[in-house]
Every structure is written in C-alpha cells, then in structure tokens.
C-alpha cells in the first residue's frame, strides 16, 4: 500500500477521534448541567480531571512499560493536585484541562514518532489517536469551565443574612 493511503487513513482517524472527543464533551456538559447543581458540577469536573489523568497509569500497566512509571505517576499527581484545587477554584479547571490536553498530544506525537520531549520509553504507549480524542475533550471542558466560572464561584459564596 502506498504511504499516501496510510497518511489519508491516519488523517481520517484523527478527524473522527477529534469529533468523538467533541461529542463526548458535549454529552458530558449536557448531562452535568441537567443533573448536577453548580457546586456538584464543579466538583465532578475537578475529580474527573484526576480520573482521566489516571488512565495513563492503566496504559503503563497494560503496555508493560516499566520505564514510564515515574514520569506518568508524577504527571498524574500534578493533575490530581490541579483537580483537587479545581473542586473549589474554577480557574484550576480552566488551566488544568488544557494542560492535560497538551499532555495527551505529547503522548500522541511520541506514539507516532513525530516528536518526544522525553527520553524513549519514558512516556507510555497509547491507543491510536487517543491523544487527539482527549485533547479535543479537554479543550471543550476547559472552555466550558471558563464560561461557568462565575456561576460556580457564586455557588460557593454563602448567601447574605
């Protein structure tokens, strides 16, 4: 098969995964707005940032890359701290989700052999286009967090007596 067909297939997969990431974000936003109040919604997105970061530890275990444990664990801890701050501070989510999207894209670039900011093997392998899916999701949730930040902050403010 010619390299052109492989590249075309890869581009189609990237577009599809980005679209699915955007649709997943739209679904998450719809569901959280419908079923959660502003406080609970903010708490959800703070804790969800921790969960999606922890996926990388599952990938380390699944792909059996012992050399990636240190870097991936450090990244999960950083995102866990950001997520915990995000439970009460909307700005942490506005900053944390795009940072996680960047982390996702670094994995995708490394997996495709295009670029790596780390030594070989320090990042875990990821499924094809997973980084693109997650980055699209993360950017949407960051934008949504930005639009909701005033309402979320107000929800934590006690009413005047």
């Amino acid at each position: 098969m010619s390299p052109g067909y492989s590249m075309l297939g890869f581009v189609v997969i990237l577009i599809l995964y980005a679209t699915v990431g955007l649709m997943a974000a739209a679904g998450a936003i719809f569901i959280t707005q419908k079923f959660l109040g502003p406080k609970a919604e903010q708490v959800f997105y703070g804790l969800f940032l921790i969960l999606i970061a922890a996926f990388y530890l599952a990938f380390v275990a699944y792909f059996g890359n012992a050399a990636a444990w240190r870097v991936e664990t450090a990244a999960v801890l950083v995102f866990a701290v950001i997520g915990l701050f995000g439970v009460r501070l909307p700005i942490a989510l506005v900053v944390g989700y795009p940072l996680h999207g960047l982390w996702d894209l670094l994995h995708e670039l490394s997996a495709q052999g295009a670029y790596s900011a780390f030594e070989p093997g320090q990042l875990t392998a990821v499924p094809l286009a997973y980084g693109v899916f997650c980055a699209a999701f993360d950017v949407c949730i960051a934008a949504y967090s930005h639009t909701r930040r005033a309402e979320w902050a107000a929800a934590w403010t006690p009413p005047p007596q």
Side-chain angles (χ1 to χ4, degrees):
M1 180 169 14
S2 85
Y5 286 123
S6 294
M7 180 55 77
L8 177 61
F10 181 64
V11 169
V12 169
I13 289 169
L14 291 180
I15 291 169
L16 288 173
Y17 272 70
T19 302
V20 171
L22 296 174
M23 292 172 65
I29 290 166
F30 175 80
I31 290 169
T32 58
Q33 269 193 340
K34 186 165 181 71
F35 295 109
L36 301 176
K39 276 187 190 179
E41 185 182 32
Q42 182 181 352
V43 169
F44 171 83
Y45 285 115
L47 297 177
F48 196 68
L49 180 59
I50 298 168
L51 293 175
I52 62 176
F55 256 94
Y56 285 97
L57 297 180
F59 291 145
V60 171
Y62 178 79
F63 291 114
N65 183 356
W69 277 110
R70 181 175 288 147
V71 171
E72 299 294 356
T73 301
V76 169
L77 291 174
V78 167
F79 288 115
V81 169
I82 294 170
L84 290 174
F85 275 106
V87 164
R88 285 298 302 270
L89 301 170
I91 192 66
L93 300 177
V94 173
V95 171
Y97 273 95
L99 286 175
H100 187 262
L102 180 61
W103 186 244
D104 295 321
L105 288 178
L106 285 174
H107 280 81
E108 190 68 43
L109 291 171
S110 178
Q112 299 308 317
Y115 171 78
S116 183
F118 297 91
E119 295 294 320
Q122 283 188 318
L123 292 183
T124 188
V126 294
L128 179 64
Y130 177 81
V132 173
F133 162 82
C134 285
F137 180 91
D138 291 342
V139 168
C140 275
I141 297 302
Y144 177 68
S145 297
H146 185 266
T147 65
R148 296 282 286 169
R149 70 190 188 289
E151 189 172 348
W152 289 347
W156 292 97
T157 305
Q161 294 185 9

